[in-house]
Amino acid sequence: VQLQASGGGLMPAGGSLRLSCAASGRTSSYTLGWFRQAPGKEREFVADASWSATITSYADSVKGRFTISRDIAKNTVYLQMNNLRPEDTAVYFCAAQKLPQGRFRYWGQGTLVTVSS
């Protein structure tokens, strides 16, 4: 399984970005997720979606602003980020196959999101 994230960039506060993560390999039955790591901080959970995207979960800090979705045919998961805040600045990672305790087996490289105040 390989994961390729894209879509990061520099945005002013209040702006929007959509991140994409293209997966290769047999990921259609896996939960896919997004995590982020801000400078000097530990990596944290952002959102995940079940294989059918009928079950989603979000970190409290992004609820109501971020939306995770997936296109099974394209084997891609998206993270629509609206009303961005400077504290959303981080490297965002996508992940596949959720394990116990919220861990994920497969990880992609990160894409940097910078939100200016």
Side-chain angles (χ1 to χ4, degrees):
V1 172
Q2 292 186 325
L3 304 168
Q4 181 74 36
S6 61
L10 173 64
M11 290 296 294
S16 298
L17 273 177
R18 189 177 80 156
L19 304 183
S20 301
C21 177
S24 61
R26 301 175 65 179
T27 61
S28 60
S29 63
Y30 293 163
T31 291
L32 298 181
W34 288 96
F35 288 73
R36 67 186 182 186
Q37 187 167 19
K41 295 187 177 181
E42 294 187 352
R43 187 170 59 192
E44 64 175 3
F45 168 77
V46 175
D48 65 25
S50 62
W51 69 273
S52 61
T54 55
I55 301 174
T56 58
S57 59
Y58 296 89
D60 288 343
S61 58
V62 307
K63 279 182 182 177
R65 300 187 298 121
F66 291 10
T67 302
I68 188 170
S69 61
R70 60 190 295 177
D71 185 328
I72 295 175
K74 294 182 178 180
N75 218 5
T76 299
V77 63
Y78 304 97
L79 185 68
Q80 178 66 45
M81 306 185 295
N82 298 328
N83 192 19
L84 284 163
R85 304 168 179 169
E87 54 264 38
D88 295 319
T89 294
V91 177
Y92 285 72
F93 300 88
C94 57
Q97 194 179 19
K98 194 171 184 178
L99 303 173
Q101 286 85 48
R103 295 175 297 115
F104 279 73
R105 182 181 300 277
Y106 302 104
W107 292 87
Q109 95 297 349
T111 185
L112 176 63
V113 173
T114 304
V115 183
S116 61
S117 57

